[in-house]
Amino acid sequence: MGPLPRTLELFYDVLSPYSWLGFEVLCRYQNIWNIKLQLRPSLIAGIMKDSGNKPPALLPRKAQYLSQDIKLLRQHFQIPIQFPKDFFSVILEKGSLSAMRFLTALSLEHPEMLEKVSRELWMRVWSRDEDITEPQSILAAAEKAGMTIEQAQGILEKISTPKVRNQLKETTEAACRYGAFGLPITVAHVDGQTHMLFGSDRMELLAYLLGEKWMGPVPPAMNARL
Amino acid sequence: MGPLPRTLELFYDVLSPYSWLGFEVLCRYQNIWNIKLQLRPSLIAGIMKDSGNKPPALLPRKAQYLSQDIKLLRQHFQIPIQFPKDFFSVILEKGSLSAMRFLTALSLEHPEMLEKVSRELWMRVWSRAAEKAGMTIEQAQGILEKISTPKVRNQLKETTEAACRYGAFGLPITVAHVDGQTHMLFGSDRMELLAYLLGEKWMGPVPPAMNARL
């Protein structure tokens, strides 16, 4: 048996577009690099509050830039990401609390579904401009990801329990202790050291730290480990 | 003769560490890709003021992150970049007005020296090692006399305003003119995306020199 896989913790929120980009790149590489990807649903609103930071989109020129940047990265990363029409309402008013609690409950009960359901929630809010705050919206994403109605409703019933609320709080606090002031953050445990990398644009640096090969944001699938 | 080189404008300030990283990567690729690199000395303080943005280091957690990030990028990019001992004094109090006026004057009088002298200034602020850039004393004196002329002050102001019109809220920005389109890319971490837009090959921040165009 070869060397042990290196653990990567990805702290993310489906409200965050760059979280989606980072998520997909790491999902693509999890079967290429010798890594173990652990998904950590977190609340970006909590991280902003704790760090004293503000969403970049509140600065007009940054909002303008984000919009262009996402358009270009859509092509480069081959992810169907698109700004919702009423971006400010989605980000600042509607938020993602229920969705991230749902994913937290999933991480406790059905962690094997976490990747697919996270993706479906991003597809709703950051591709098809659909709601992710209503219970039926979250259930629709879960079903699209392959959960049965019963499974999905079972998870939904748990989202307001103290256990799930506390877990989301703890995961968010863990991100803060790693130094997060936004999301996504990738925490890489390599050779007894811990590196926190912010953003979806530190993946080539991550490859360097892991001693792995960087093949761009869309690596050829044929390199997958057996 | 092949297709015309694509113009890349790099707006930078020697006060900005990420500007150094972006600068070195583009300097390395200017003899590999079919590009023409135009250096545009600018004032990051002016861009912050005009955009309403603030230096990221003012947020404690960002300052902490910057410090780690620069340490790692130093190795990855192979650039001897290091946080100055008194970081806040350097960035926030001393500033870079004279240095950027100096580079602006150079861009008008001796543009061929702009790359080397910019590098030397970064080496002074952002590295321990300082070398000489090969400028003669007379040239240096001549330039120093010119830095507070209206012509130089206005040029720096105009270049900084040009960056703002391209949408800058910080530095570095790389403005790529490709196939009749203009793309503004912020940061030293959009170079792989730039390669994609140019239809060129990305070989990491330290491309093999043997790929240089003859």
Side-chain angles (χ1 to χ4, degrees), chain A residues 18 47 50-53 59 61-62 65 68-69 72-73 75-76 176 179-181 195-198 201-202 204-205 208-209 214 216-217, chain B residues 18 47 50-53 59 61-62 65 68-69 72-73 75-76 164 167-169 183-186 189-190 192-193 196-197 202 204-205:
Chain A
Y18 293 102
I47 288 168
D50 192 70
S51 63
N53 196 13
L59 193 84
R61 248 180 241 174
K62 283 192 188 182
Y65 182 73
Q68 291 162 216
D69 195 38
L72 293 176
L73 295 172
Q75 297 172 52
H76 188 213
C176 290
F181 47 84
H195 302 286
M196 184 282 271
L197 304 174
F198 167 67
D201 44 24
R202 285 289 178 279
E204 186 172 13
L205 177 62
Y208 172 81
L209 294 172
W214 175 245
Chain B
Y18 293 102
I47 287 168
D50 192 69
S51 64
N53 195 14
L59 192 84
R61 248 180 241 174
K62 283 192 187 181
Y65 183 73
Q68 293 163 215
D69 195 38
L72 294 176
L73 293 172
Q75 298 173 50
H76 188 213
C164 289
F169 47 85
H183 302 287
M184 185 280 272
L185 304 174
F186 168 68
D189 44 25
R190 284 289 178 278
E192 185 173 13
L193 176 62
Y196 172 80
L197 294 172
W202 175 246

Coordinates of all heavy atoms in Angstrom, one line a residue, chain A residues 18 47 50-53 59 61-62 65 68-69 72-73 75-76 176 179-181 195-198 201-202 204-205 208-209 214 216-217, chain B residues 18 47 50-53 59 61-62 65 68-69 72-73 75-76 164 167-169 183-186 189-190 192-193 196-197 202 204-205:
Chain A
Y18 N -17.4 31.4 -5.6 CA -16.0 30.9 -5.7 C -15.9 29.6 -4.9 O -15.0 28.8 -5.3 CB -15.0 31.9 -5.2 CG -14.9 33.1 -6.2 CD1 -15.5 34.3 -5.8 CD2 -14.2 33.1 -7.4 CE1 -15.5 35.4 -6.7 CE2 -14.1 34.2 -8.2 CZ -14.8 35.3 -7.9 OH -14.7 36.4 -8.7
I47 N -18.8 33.8 9.0 CA -17.4 34.1 8.9 C -17.2 35.6 8.7 O -16.3 36.2 9.3 CB -16.8 33.3 7.8 CG1 -16.7 31.8 8.2 CG2 -15.4 33.8 7.3 CD1 -16.4 30.8 7.2
D50 N -17.7 37.2 12.2 CA -16.6 37.0 13.1 C -15.3 37.6 12.8 O -14.5 38.0 13.6 CB -16.4 35.4 13.2 CG -15.5 35.0 14.3 OD1 -16.0 35.1 15.5 OD2 -14.4 34.6 14.1
S51 N -15.1 37.8 11.5 CA -13.8 38.4 11.0 C -13.8 39.9 10.9 O -12.8 40.5 10.7 CB -13.3 37.7 9.7 OG -14.3 38.1 8.7
G52 N -15.0 40.5 10.8 CA -15.1 41.9 10.6 C -15.0 42.2 9.1 O -14.9 43.4 8.8
N53 N -15.1 41.2 8.3 CA -15.0 41.5 6.8 C -16.4 41.8 6.3 O -17.4 41.6 7.0 CB -14.4 40.2 6.1 CG -13.9 40.5 4.7 OD1 -13.8 41.6 4.3 ND2 -13.7 39.4 4.0
L59 N -18.7 46.6 -2.5 CA -18.0 47.7 -3.2 C -18.3 47.7 -4.6 O -18.1 46.7 -5.3 CB -16.5 47.5 -2.9 CG -15.6 48.7 -3.3 CD1 -15.6 49.7 -2.1 CD2 -14.2 48.3 -3.7
R61 N -17.1 48.7 -7.5 CA -16.1 48.2 -8.5 C -15.8 46.7 -8.3 O -15.4 46.0 -9.3 CB -14.8 49.0 -8.5 CG -14.6 49.9 -9.7 CD -13.4 50.7 -9.7 NE -13.7 52.1 -9.7 CZ -12.8 53.1 -9.6 NH1 -11.5 52.8 -9.3 NH2 -13.2 54.3 -9.7
K62 N -15.8 46.2 -7.1 CA -15.6 44.8 -6.9 C -16.8 44.0 -7.5 O -16.6 42.9 -8.1 CB -15.4 44.5 -5.4 CG -14.0 44.8 -4.9 CD -13.8 44.2 -3.5 CE -12.5 44.7 -2.9 NZ -12.3 44.1 -1.5
Y65 N -16.4 43.7 -11.1 CA -15.3 42.8 -11.4 C -15.7 41.4 -11.2 O -15.5 40.5 -12.1 CB -14.0 43.1 -10.6 CG -12.9 42.2 -11.0 CD1 -12.2 42.4 -12.2 CD2 -12.6 41.1 -10.2 CE1 -11.2 41.5 -12.5 CE2 -11.5 40.2 -10.5 CZ -10.9 40.5 -11.7 OH -9.9 39.6 -12.1
Q68 N -17.7 40.0 -14.2 CA -16.8 39.7 -15.3 C -16.0 38.4 -15.1 O -15.8 37.6 -15.9 CB -15.8 40.8 -15.6 CG -16.3 42.1 -16.1 CD -15.3 43.2 -15.9 OE1 -15.6 44.3 -15.6 NE2 -14.0 42.9 -16.0
D69 N -15.4 38.4 -13.9 CA -14.5 37.3 -13.5 C -15.3 35.9 -13.6 O -14.8 35.0 -14.2 CB -14.0 37.5 -12.0 CG -12.8 36.7 -11.7 OD1 -12.0 36.4 -12.5 OD2 -12.8 36.2 -10.5
L72 N -15.8 34.7 -17.1 CA -14.6 34.1 -17.8 C -14.3 32.8 -17.1 O -13.9 31.8 -17.8 CB -13.4 35.1 -17.6 CG -13.4 36.4 -18.4 CD1 -12.2 37.2 -18.0 CD2 -13.5 36.2 -19.9
L73 N -14.4 32.7 -15.8 CA -14.1 31.4 -15.1 C -15.1 30.3 -15.5 O -14.7 29.2 -15.5 CB -14.0 31.7 -13.6 CG -12.9 32.6 -13.1 CD1 -13.0 32.9 -11.7 CD2 -11.5 32.0 -13.4
Q75 N -16.1 29.7 -18.4 CA -15.6 29.0 -19.6 C -14.3 28.2 -19.2 O -14.1 27.1 -19.6 CB -15.2 30.0 -20.6 CG -16.3 30.8 -21.2 CD -15.8 31.9 -22.1 OE1 -15.0 31.6 -23.0 NE2 -16.3 33.1 -21.9
H76 N -13.4 28.9 -18.5 CA -12.1 28.3 -18.1 C -12.3 27.0 -17.3 O -11.6 26.0 -17.5 CB -11.3 29.3 -17.5 CG -9.8 28.9 -17.3 ND1 -9.1 29.3 -16.2 CD2 -9.0 28.1 -18.0 CE1 -7.9 28.8 -16.3 NE2 -7.8 28.0 -17.4
C176 N -13.1 29.8 11.1 CA -12.6 31.0 11.7 C -11.3 30.8 12.4 O -10.3 31.6 12.3 CB -13.6 31.7 12.6 SG -15.1 32.3 11.8
G179 N -8.4 30.9 10.4 CA -8.1 32.2 9.9 C -9.0 32.7 8.7 O -8.6 33.7 8.1
A180 N -10.1 32.0 8.5 CA -11.0 32.4 7.4 C -11.6 33.8 7.6 O -12.0 34.2 8.7 CB -12.1 31.4 7.2
F181 N -11.6 34.6 6.5 CA -12.3 35.9 6.5 C -13.3 35.9 5.4 O -13.9 36.9 5.1 CB -11.3 37.0 6.3 CG -10.3 36.8 5.2 CD1 -10.6 37.0 3.9 CD2 -9.0 36.2 5.5 CE1 -9.7 36.8 2.9 CE2 -8.1 35.9 4.5 CZ -8.5 36.2 3.2
H195 N -1.8 23.9 6.1 CA -1.9 25.2 5.3 C -3.3 25.5 5.0 O -4.1 24.7 4.6 CB -1.2 24.9 4.0 CG 0.3 24.5 4.1 ND1 1.3 25.3 4.5 CD2 0.8 23.3 3.9 CE1 2.4 24.7 4.5 NE2 2.2 23.4 4.2
M196 N -3.7 26.8 5.3 CA -5.0 27.3 4.9 C -4.8 28.1 3.7 O -4.1 29.1 3.7 CB -5.6 28.1 6.1 CG -7.0 28.6 5.8 SD -7.2 30.1 4.7 CE -7.1 31.4 5.9
L197 N -5.6 27.8 2.6 CA -5.5 28.5 1.4 C -6.9 29.1 1.1 O -7.9 28.3 1.1 CB -5.1 27.5 0.2 CG -3.8 26.8 0.4 CD1 -3.5 25.8 -0.7 CD2 -2.6 27.8 0.5
F198 N -7.0 30.4 0.8 CA -8.2 31.0 0.5 C -8.5 31.2 -1.0 O -7.6 31.5 -1.7 CB -8.2 32.4 1.2 CG -9.4 33.3 0.8 CD1 -10.7 33.0 1.1 CD2 -9.1 34.4 0.0 CE1 -11.7 33.8 0.7 CE2 -10.2 35.2 -0.4 CZ -11.5 34.9 -0.1
D201 N -8.5 30.1 -6.4 CA -7.3 30.3 -7.3 C -6.0 30.0 -6.6 O -5.0 30.6 -6.9 CB -7.4 31.8 -7.8 CG -7.7 32.8 -6.7 OD1 -7.5 32.5 -5.5 OD2 -8.2 33.9 -7.0
R202 N -6.0 29.1 -5.6 CA -4.8 28.7 -5.0 C -4.6 27.2 -5.2 O -3.9 26.5 -4.4 CB -4.8 29.0 -3.4 CG -4.6 30.5 -3.1 CD -3.1 30.9 -3.4 NE -2.9 32.3 -3.1 CZ -3.1 33.2 -4.0 NH1 -3.7 33.0 -5.1 NH2 -2.8 34.5 -3.6
E204 N -3.3 25.6 -7.8 CA -2.0 25.2 -8.4 C -1.0 25.3 -7.2 O -0.1 24.4 -7.2 CB -1.6 26.2 -9.5 CG -0.3 25.8 -10.2 CD 0.0 26.6 -11.4 OE1 -0.6 27.6 -11.6 OE2 1.0 26.1 -12.1
L205 N -1.1 26.2 -6.3 CA -0.2 26.3 -5.2 C -0.4 25.1 -4.3 O 0.5 24.5 -3.8 CB -0.5 27.6 -4.4 CG 0.3 27.7 -3.1 CD1 1.8 27.8 -3.3 CD2 -0.1 28.9 -2.3
Y208 N 1.4 22.2 -5.7 CA 2.8 22.4 -5.3 C 3.1 21.9 -3.9 O 4.1 21.1 -3.7 CB 3.2 23.8 -5.5 CG 4.6 24.2 -5.0 CD1 5.7 24.0 -5.8 CD2 4.7 24.8 -3.8 CE1 7.0 24.4 -5.4 CE2 6.0 25.2 -3.3 CZ 7.1 25.0 -4.1 OH 8.3 25.4 -3.7
L209 N 2.3 22.2 -3.0 CA 2.5 21.8 -1.6 C 2.3 20.3 -1.4 O 2.9 19.7 -0.5 CB 1.5 22.6 -0.7 CG 1.6 24.1 -0.6 CD1 0.5 24.7 0.2 CD2 3.0 24.4 0.1
W214 N -0.3 19.7 -11.4 CA -1.4 20.6 -11.7 C -1.7 20.5 -13.2 O -0.8 20.7 -14.0 CB -1.1 22.0 -11.3 CG -2.1 23.0 -11.7 CD1 -2.0 24.0 -12.6 CD2 -3.5 23.1 -11.2 NE1 -3.2 24.7 -12.7 CE2 -4.1 24.2 -11.9 CE3 -4.2 22.3 -10.3 CZ2 -5.5 24.5 -11.6 CZ3 -5.5 22.7 -10.0 CH2 -6.2 23.8 -10.7
G216 N -4.5 22.1 -14.6 CA -5.5 23.1 -14.9 C -6.8 22.7 -14.2 O -6.9 21.6 -13.6
P217 N -7.8 23.6 -14.3 CA -9.1 23.4 -13.6 C -9.9 22.2 -14.2 O -10.9 21.8 -13.5 CB -9.8 24.7 -13.7 CG -9.2 25.4 -14.9 CD -7.8 24.9 -15.0
Chain B
Y18 N 1.8 41.7 -4.4 CA 1.2 40.9 -5.5 C 1.5 41.5 -6.9 O 1.6 40.8 -7.9 CB -0.3 40.7 -5.3 CG -0.6 39.8 -4.0 CD1 -1.0 40.4 -2.9 CD2 -0.4 38.4 -4.1 CE1 -1.3 39.7 -1.7 CE2 -0.7 37.7 -2.9 CZ -1.1 38.3 -1.8 OH -1.3 37.5 -0.6
I47 N -5.7 54.5 -6.4 CA -6.8 53.6 -6.8 C -7.7 53.3 -5.6 O -8.9 53.2 -5.8 CB -6.1 52.3 -7.4 CG1 -5.6 52.7 -8.8 CG2 -7.1 51.2 -7.5 CD1 -4.7 51.6 -9.4
D50 N -9.9 56.3 -5.1 CA -10.9 56.5 -6.2 C -12.0 55.4 -6.1 O -13.2 55.7 -6.5 CB -10.2 56.5 -7.5 CG -11.2 56.9 -8.6 OD1 -11.5 58.1 -8.7 OD2 -11.6 56.1 -9.5
S51 N -11.7 54.2 -5.7 CA -12.6 53.1 -5.7 C -13.4 52.9 -4.4 O -14.4 52.2 -4.4 CB -11.9 51.8 -6.0 OG -11.0 51.5 -5.0
G52 N -12.9 53.6 -3.4 CA -13.5 53.4 -2.0 C -13.1 52.2 -1.3 O -13.7 51.8 -0.3
N53 N -12.0 51.5 -1.9 CA -11.6 50.3 -1.3 C -10.5 50.6 -0.2 O -10.1 51.8 0.0 CB -10.9 49.4 -2.4 CG -10.7 48.0 -1.9 OD1 -11.2 47.5 -0.9 ND2 -9.9 47.2 -2.7
L59 N -7.5 44.6 7.7 CA -8.4 43.7 8.4 C -7.4 42.6 9.0 O -6.7 42.0 8.3 CB -9.3 43.0 7.4 CG -10.4 42.2 8.1 CD1 -11.6 43.1 8.5 CD2 -11.0 41.1 7.2
R61 N -7.4 39.5 10.1 CA -7.3 38.2 9.5 C -6.7 38.2 8.1 O -6.1 37.2 7.7 CB -8.7 37.5 9.6 CG -8.7 36.4 10.6 CD -10.0 35.6 10.6 NE -10.6 35.7 11.9 CZ -11.8 35.3 12.3 NH1 -12.5 34.8 11.3 NH2 -12.2 35.4 13.5
K62 N -7.0 39.2 7.4 CA -6.4 39.3 6.0 C -4.9 39.6 6.1 O -4.1 39.0 5.4 CB -7.1 40.4 5.2 CG -8.5 40.1 4.7 CD -8.9 41.1 3.6 CE -10.4 40.8 3.2 NZ -10.8 41.8 2.2
Y65 N -3.3 36.4 6.9 CA -3.3 35.5 5.7 C -2.3 35.9 4.7 O -1.6 35.1 4.1 CB -4.7 35.5 5.1 CG -4.8 34.5 3.9 CD1 -4.8 33.1 4.1 CD2 -4.8 35.0 2.6 CE1 -4.8 32.3 3.0 CE2 -4.8 34.1 1.5 CZ -4.8 32.7 1.7 OH -4.8 31.9 0.7
Q68 N 1.2 34.6 5.4 CA 1.3 33.2 5.1 C 1.4 33.0 3.6 O 2.2 32.2 3.1 CB 0.2 32.4 5.6 CG 0.0 32.3 7.0 CD -1.5 31.8 7.4 OE1 -2.0 32.2 8.4 NE2 -2.0 30.9 6.5
D69 N 0.5 33.7 2.9 CA 0.3 33.5 1.4 C 1.7 33.9 0.7 O 2.2 33.2 -0.1 CB -0.8 34.4 0.9 CG -1.3 34.0 -0.5 OD1 -1.3 32.8 -0.8 OD2 -1.7 35.0 -1.2
L72 N 4.4 31.3 1.1 CA 4.2 30.1 0.2 C 4.5 30.5 -1.2 O 5.2 29.7 -1.9 CB 2.8 29.5 0.4 CG 2.5 28.9 1.7 CD1 1.0 28.5 1.7 CD2 3.4 27.7 2.1
L73 N 4.0 31.7 -1.6 CA 4.2 32.1 -3.0 C 5.7 32.3 -3.3 O 6.1 32.2 -4.4 CB 3.3 33.3 -3.3 CG 1.8 33.0 -3.3 CD1 1.0 34.2 -3.4 CD2 1.4 32.0 -4.4
Q75 N 8.1 30.6 -2.5 CA 8.7 29.3 -2.9 C 8.2 28.9 -4.3 O 8.9 28.6 -5.2 CB 8.4 28.2 -2.0 CG 9.0 28.4 -0.6 CD 8.4 27.3 0.3 OE1 8.5 26.1 0.0 NE2 7.9 27.7 1.5
H76 N 6.9 29.0 -4.4 CA 6.2 28.5 -5.6 C 6.6 29.4 -6.8 O 6.8 28.9 -7.9 CB 4.7 28.6 -5.4 CG 3.9 27.9 -6.5 ND1 2.6 28.4 -6.9 CD2 4.1 26.9 -7.3 CE1 2.2 27.7 -7.9 NE2 3.1 26.8 -8.2
C164 N -8.2 53.0 -13.1 CA -9.5 53.2 -12.5 C -10.6 53.0 -13.5 O -11.6 52.4 -13.3 CB -9.6 54.5 -11.8 SG -8.6 54.6 -10.3
G167 N -11.5 49.7 -14.2 CA -12.3 49.1 -13.2 C -11.5 48.6 -12.0 O -11.9 47.9 -11.1
A168 N -10.2 49.1 -11.9 CA -9.3 48.7 -10.8 C -9.8 49.2 -9.4 O -10.3 50.3 -9.3 CB -7.9 49.2 -11.0
F169 N -9.7 48.3 -8.4 CA -10.0 48.6 -7.0 C -8.8 48.3 -6.2 O -8.8 48.4 -5.0 CB -11.2 47.8 -6.5 CG -11.2 46.4 -6.9 CD1 -10.5 45.5 -6.1 CD2 -11.8 45.9 -8.0 CE1 -10.4 44.1 -6.4 CE2 -11.8 44.6 -8.4 CZ -11.1 43.7 -7.6
H183 N -9.9 42.6 -21.7 CA -10.1 42.0 -20.5 C -9.3 42.5 -19.4 O -8.1 42.6 -19.5 CB -9.8 40.5 -20.6 CG -10.6 39.7 -21.7 ND1 -11.9 39.4 -21.6 CD2 -10.2 39.3 -22.9 CE1 -12.3 38.8 -22.6 NE2 -11.3 38.7 -23.5
M184 N -9.9 42.9 -18.2 CA -9.1 43.4 -17.1 C -9.1 42.2 -16.1 O -10.1 41.7 -15.7 CB -9.8 44.6 -16.5 CG -9.0 45.2 -15.3 SD -9.1 44.4 -13.7 CE -10.6 45.3 -13.0
L185 N -7.9 41.8 -15.7 CA -7.7 40.7 -14.7 C -7.0 41.3 -13.5 O -5.9 41.9 -13.6 CB -6.9 39.6 -15.4 CG -7.5 39.0 -16.7 CD1 -6.5 38.0 -17.2 CD2 -8.8 38.3 -16.4
F186 N -7.6 41.0 -12.3 CA -7.0 41.5 -11.1 C -6.2 40.5 -10.4 O -6.6 39.3 -10.3 CB -8.1 42.0 -10.2 CG -7.7 42.3 -8.8 CD1 -6.8 43.4 -8.5 CD2 -8.1 41.5 -7.7 CE1 -6.4 43.6 -7.2 CE2 -7.6 41.7 -6.4 CZ -6.8 42.8 -6.1
D189 N -2.9 36.0 -9.6 CA -3.4 34.7 -9.6 C -4.5 34.5 -10.7 O -5.3 33.6 -10.7 CB -4.0 34.2 -8.3 CG -4.9 35.3 -7.6 OD1 -5.5 36.1 -8.4 OD2 -5.0 35.3 -6.4
R190 N -4.4 35.3 -11.8 CA -5.2 35.1 -12.9 C -4.4 34.9 -14.2 O -4.9 35.1 -15.3 CB -6.2 36.3 -13.2 CG -7.3 36.4 -12.2 CD -8.4 35.4 -12.5 NE -9.5 35.4 -11.5 CZ -9.5 34.9 -10.3 NH1 -8.4 34.2 -9.9 NH2 -10.5 34.9 -9.5
E192 N -3.1 32.0 -15.3 CA -3.5 30.8 -16.1 C -4.7 31.2 -16.9 O -4.9 30.7 -18.0 CB -3.8 29.7 -15.1 CG -4.1 28.4 -15.9 CD -4.2 27.2 -15.0 OE1 -4.2 27.3 -13.8 OE2 -4.2 26.0 -15.6
L193 N -5.6 31.9 -16.3 CA -6.8 32.4 -17.1 C -6.4 33.2 -18.2 O -6.9 33.1 -19.3 CB -7.8 33.2 -16.1 CG -9.0 33.8 -16.8 CD1 -9.9 32.7 -17.4 CD2 -9.8 34.6 -15.8
Y196 N -5.3 31.1 -21.0 CA -6.5 30.6 -21.7 C -7.1 31.6 -22.7 O -7.4 31.3 -23.8 CB -7.5 30.2 -20.6 CG -8.9 29.8 -21.1 CD1 -9.1 28.5 -21.6 CD2 -9.9 30.7 -21.0 CE1 -10.4 28.2 -22.0 CE2 -11.2 30.4 -21.5 CZ -11.4 29.1 -21.9 OH -12.7 28.7 -22.4
L197 N -7.2 32.9 -22.3 CA -7.8 33.9 -23.1 C -6.9 34.2 -24.3 O -7.3 34.5 -25.4 CB -7.9 35.2 -22.3 CG -9.0 35.1 -21.2 CD1 -9.0 36.4 -20.4 CD2 -10.4 34.9 -21.7
W202 N 0.0 27.5 -20.5 CA 0.4 27.9 -19.1 C 1.4 26.8 -18.6 O 1.0 25.6 -18.6 CB -0.8 27.9 -18.2 CG -0.5 28.2 -16.7 CD1 -0.7 27.4 -15.7 CD2 0.1 29.4 -16.2 NE1 -0.3 28.0 -14.5 CE2 0.2 29.2 -14.8 CE3 0.5 30.6 -16.7 CZ2 0.8 30.2 -13.9 CZ3 1.1 31.6 -15.9 CH2 1.2 31.4 -14.5
G204 N 3.0 27.2 -15.5 CA 3.2 27.6 -14.1 C 4.0 28.9 -14.0 O 4.3 29.5 -15.0
P205 N 4.2 29.3 -12.7 CA 4.8 30.7 -12.5 C 6.3 30.7 -12.9 O 6.8 31.8 -13.0 CB 4.6 30.9 -11.0 CG 4.4 29.6 -10.4 CD 3.7 28.7 -11.5

